[in-house]
Amino acid sequence: MILRTESKLVLACIVLVTGIEESERYLEAPEVTSVSLAEPEGLYVQWWPVRQRNDDPVIGYKIRLWEIPESSTTDIQLVDAYKYPGTVKHEESSKSFSVNNTDPISREEIVGSANKGLMSATVKIKYNTIYEVRVLGFKKDVDGPMSLPTRIKVVKGSGYQVVLQRSVTGCRITVPSEVQHGNDPYPYEHNFNF
């Protein structure tokens, strides 16, 4: 009778050890630290890699992009403190911002893995289009969960450029320009968080 009890105990320990190994295969969502403008017509995406084991490594990362449709209307209204009639264009996303986007992806870029340090990639986009950007790590047989979403739109017009960005932590407008220091121009970004 004592032998049976000991064998059951040993069997239970083996099951627990096996369960721990399988649960460690789970991948975390990467933490995207920045999505910004990269010239010409691109986004520069930075993220922290996920933790991994040497015997079950992360092969790489997938940057997923969704093109978010917009609707726009144009009205003639009084502008400039209601003094002058002018054209006012209203644009808004046709899809609400959510961390649970289940729409089919528009595009996916694959980036090789690095074991440590901040990772980054540049992705081509079209100006004046809203994109939702998410990153995930993957192994040979499994995709991990996606990072939190970031929406971004690079608005480019005649003589100006503005980057509009929305994440779960807030919204930001970036106006890229240049400043002069001596005779040399330096890139300058003015960020407005709201």
Side-chain angles (χ1 to χ4, degrees), residues 61-73:
Y61 293 86
K62 296 178 182 178
I63 300 172
R64 291 189 172 165
L65 297 164
W66 287 263
E67 284 189 33
I68 306 298
E70 285 183 282
S71 62
S72 65
T73 58

Side-chain angles (χ1 to χ4, degrees), residues 45-178:
V45 183
Q46 290 183 303
W47 68 94
W48 287 109
V50 298
R51 290 182 291 161
Q52 59 180 312
R53 291 178 18 191
N54 290 335
D55 62 337
D56 192 20
V58 172
I59 295 172
Y61 293 86
K62 296 178 182 178
I63 300 172
R64 291 189 172 165
L65 297 164
W66 287 263
E67 284 189 33
I68 306 298
E70 285 183 282
S71 62
S72 65
T73 58
T74 304
D75 298 325
I76 304 294
Q77 296 179 358
L78 294 176
V79 293
D80 192 15
Y82 305 108
K83 293 180 184 177
Y84 306 102
T87 304
V88 178
K89 186 173 184 180
H90 304 277
E91 295 179 342
E92 68 179 57
S93 165
S94 299
K95 183 165 174 49
S96 62
F97 185 74
S98 168
V99 296
N100 300 318
N101 186 353
T102 57
D103 291 348
I105 58 173
S106 301
R107 204 166 87 227
E108 184 173 80
E109 301 284 332
I110 296 178
V111 179
S113 180
N115 290 331
K116 56 185 175 181
L118 192 62
M119 296 197 61
S120 62
T122 302
V123 181
K124 289 283 190 190
I125 61 161
K126 297 180 282 190
Y127 290 127
N128 303 314
T129 302
I130 297 176
Y131 289 93
E132 188 166 293
V133 181
R134 299 181 90 170
V135 178
L136 64 89
F138 68 94
K139 296 181 179 184
K140 64 181 176 183
D141 60 347
V142 65
D143 283 353
M146 292 184 287
S147 65
L148 293 173
T150 298
R151 280 201 181 169
I152 191 163
K153 180 178 182 179
V154 179
V155 180
K156 188 163 182 135
S158 178
Y160 71 92
Q161 184 170 298
V162 177
V163 181
L164 309 170
Q165 191 173 83
R166 180 177 183 179
S167 67
V168 293
T169 58
C171 298
R172 183 172 79 192
I173 297 174
T174 302
V175 181
S177 61
E178 288 184 348

